[in-house]
Amino acid sequence: MRGLSQRVRSMKPSATVAVNARALELRRQGVDLVALTAGEPDFDTPEHVKEAARRALSQGKTKYAPPAGIPELREALAEKFRRENGLSVTPEETIVTVGGKQALFNLFQAILDPGDEVIVLSPYWVSYPEMVRFAGGVVVEVETLPEEGFIPDPKRVARAITPRTKALVVNSPNNPTGAVYPKEVLVALAELAQEHDFYLVSDEIYEHLLYEGEHFSPGRVAPHHTLTVNGAAKAFAMTGWRIGYACGPKEVIQAMASVSSQSTTSPDTIAQWATLEALTNQEASRAFVEMAREAYRKRRDLLLEGLSSLGLKAVRPQGAFYVLMDTSPIAPDEIQAAERLLEAGVAVVPGTDFAAFGHVRLSYATSEANLKKALERFARVLGRA
Ligand SMILES: Cc1ncc(COP(=O)(O)O)c(C=O)c1O
């Protein structure tokens, strides 16, 4: 009988991807729109990385790669995780994937049986719950609160643990809140994973986009329980290259590679050689990352100051490139607020699918001129201009 599976029918397409596509389409039609929707750097990929891709092409490095990635890149990853994250891993404990997204997708496929519970901290990145459910898991939400700076309370997390808890997902710096979790909180969560023997999935894709505080990898505390997920997209402005990576216990990494071998075979070979350059040409990459970080910091400060002068409330983000803005002065709920802002010429993502009710997500991965224009339009919506 024809028809779609129950599994796919219950999967929601990504709200952020959809809203961004709508904004781009409106702009294509000539609508004057400032889009604060994109979850991607507005910088171009650095030249040394592009050059490495050209080199790979001209050297004919255009064939299939092993499912877990080319050995040179896995070696560089083991070294990166040691140098930058203090994790002691061998190349066999690393995997290269089609974006951080595939690392997470394969990971949930690898560890979840039907009914297994995964604790997800809300507001959350929209894909975690969908991926967990797609793998047969059950999402258990634990709130983080604006009045606590969206930092999780380990005691609240502990109360959500049951004998069926298979994993806890943490994401610091966080999308959509911009929160950077303090080391002691991450240590406490890693200890819970050890004590109750579940996996800690640590999504560290924004590790380099950090304006205050320090990045800490909880895999240092619970190496046998932690899967550390990362990728080239945000750090090196490589969203379209689709390269992610992860490290963790070998049996899970091998299972993730099996899922790849039966679905994508391997990530793009040329993009892997380019990523190798991004990870090993440390001097050039560091200069790029620092340039981008300083630009985002200035934009964050400009946006926060503007919001505050309009009386719009937002928790000060310490990392990533998002702000969650309280929409109560604009409309009764975040969906209506996003509509009003769109009518005024600013596209934002309503917090609904992040479980950030009463908030919209603003991305400041856009120029200062665009941010100023967006603030002028917010002022008009509030009758302040
Ligand atoms: C929190 C978080 N994790 C993972 C990803 C995946 O990124 P990619 O698949 O582009 O590497 C994103 C992208 O927006 C993200 O925001």
Side-chain angles (χ1 to χ4, degrees):
M1 215 194 327
R2 286 188 321 123
L4 300 176
S5 69
Q6 184 59 42
R7 208 171 55 258
V8 90
R9 273 187 289 145
S10 59
M11 182 186 238
K12 260 195 275 175
S14 166
T16 47
V17 172
V19 173
N20 197 42
R22 187 168 163 219
L24 293 178
E25 176 56 23
L26 283 172
R27 246 201 330 232
R28 206 185 56 81
Q29 292 169 8
V31 177
D32 172 21
L33 200 64
V34 180
L36 304 185
T37 45
E40 69 178 342
D42 56 327
F43 300 105
D44 194 4
T45 304
E47 192 49 41
H48 65 289
V49 176
K50 292 208 264 185
E51 184 51 38
R54 285 186 211 107
R55 223 167 31 238
L57 262 181
S58 59
Q59 291 171 356
K61 291 177 171 164
T62 55
K63 307 296 186 195
Y64 288 131
I70 56 172
E72 291 84 348
L73 184 51
R74 295 177 79 192
E75 261 166 45
L77 282 173
E79 164 59 19
K80 173 254 178 299
F81 284 124
R82 187 194 59 72
R83 184 180 71 237
E84 296 185 344
N85 307 100
L87 303 175
S88 166
V89 289
T90 62
E92 293 70 41
E93 291 163 323
T94 70
I95 183 170
V96 188
T97 52
V98 182
K101 245 181 188 166
Q102 195 200 13
L104 291 159
F105 189 90
N106 287 13
L107 167 53
F108 293 127
Q109 293 291 332
I111 64 171
L112 295 181
D113 279 319
D116 282 348
E117 293 174 2
V118 178
I119 301 174
V120 176
L121 305 170
S122 69
Y124 41 69
W125 179 49
V126 292
S127 296
Y128 300 137
E130 294 303 322
M131 287 184 188
V132 166
R133 283 192 280 266
F134 201 71
V138 174
V139 175
V140 176
E141 280 182 37
V142 173
E143 268 186 311
T144 65
L145 305 170
E147 54 273 29
E148 294 170 1
F150 294 115
I151 303 295
D153 176 353
K155 286 201 235 45
R156 215 175 291 138
V157 174
R159 283 198 292 274
I161 296 169
T162 76
R164 293 231 63 172
T165 304
K166 196 70 186 274
L168 158 68
V169 184
V170 295
N171 170 219
S172 174
N174 187 275
N175 175 10
T177 67
V180 172
Y181 299 171
K183 179 177 170 184
E184 58 276 16
V185 168
L186 290 163
V187 169
L189 296 176
E191 285 172 353
L192 283 177
Q194 269 178 327
E195 191 186 326
H196 297 273
D197 199 23
F198 57 75
Y199 291 110
L200 180 63
V201 178
S202 180
D203 180 348
E204 304 182 12
I205 200 147
Y206 295 100
E207 72 172 326
H208 291 302
L209 303 183
L210 192 77
Y211 318 109
E212 278 143 34
E214 257 177 56
H215 181 70
F216 180 78
S217 296
R220 286 169 68 171
V221 179
H224 303 299
H225 290 80
T226 306
L227 285 133
T228 305
V229 176
N230 209 319
K234 317 286 176 174
F236 308 120
M238 290 178 70
T239 44
W241 298 70
R242 311 305 306 127
I243 295 290
Y245 22 87
C247 71
K250 200 161 143 191
E251 68 277 9
V252 181
I253 294 293
Q254 277 172 349
M256 289 164 67
S258 293
V259 178
S260 291
S261 77
Q262 296 291 19
S263 50
T264 51
T265 298
S266 74
D268 180 288
T269 304
I270 302 155
Q272 291 192 63
W273 286 102
T275 305
L276 179 64
E277 172 73 13
L279 291 176
T280 52
N281 187 344
Q282 286 172 47
E283 206 181 315
S285 291
R286 201 175 302 125
F288 175 80
V289 168
E290 275 167 19
M291 176 281 295
R293 182 170 38 227
E294 285 320 303
Y296 293 133
R297 184 202 303 277
K298 268 182 78 185
R299 295 163 179 189
R300 175 198 67 163
D301 292 347
L302 186 156
L303 184 58
L304 286 179
E305 230 168 79
L307 294 180
S308 144
S309 71
L310 291 171
L312 289 165
K313 274 197 291 184
V315 172
R316 180 185 176 80
Q318 297 182 306
F321 38 54
Y322 309 103
V323 182
L324 272 186
M325 178 179 87
D326 181 336
T327 52
S328 48
I330 298 174
D333 66 46
E334 69 282 354
I335 297 179
Q336 292 177 61
E339 291 288 331
R340 275 198 74 188
L341 293 173
L342 191 63
E343 281 162 22
V346 185
V348 300
V349 187
T352 326
D353 286 357
F354 301 100
F357 304 103
H359 290 78
V360 291
R361 190 191 75 173
L362 316 179
S363 161
Y364 50 90
T366 189
S367 68
E368 289 183 32
N370 273 341
L371 292 174
K372 284 181 189 153
K373 212 192 263 183
L375 286 165
E376 281 160 23
R377 292 176 182 185
F378 287 176
R380 231 176 294 145
V381 169
L382 293 166
R384 300 272 295 266

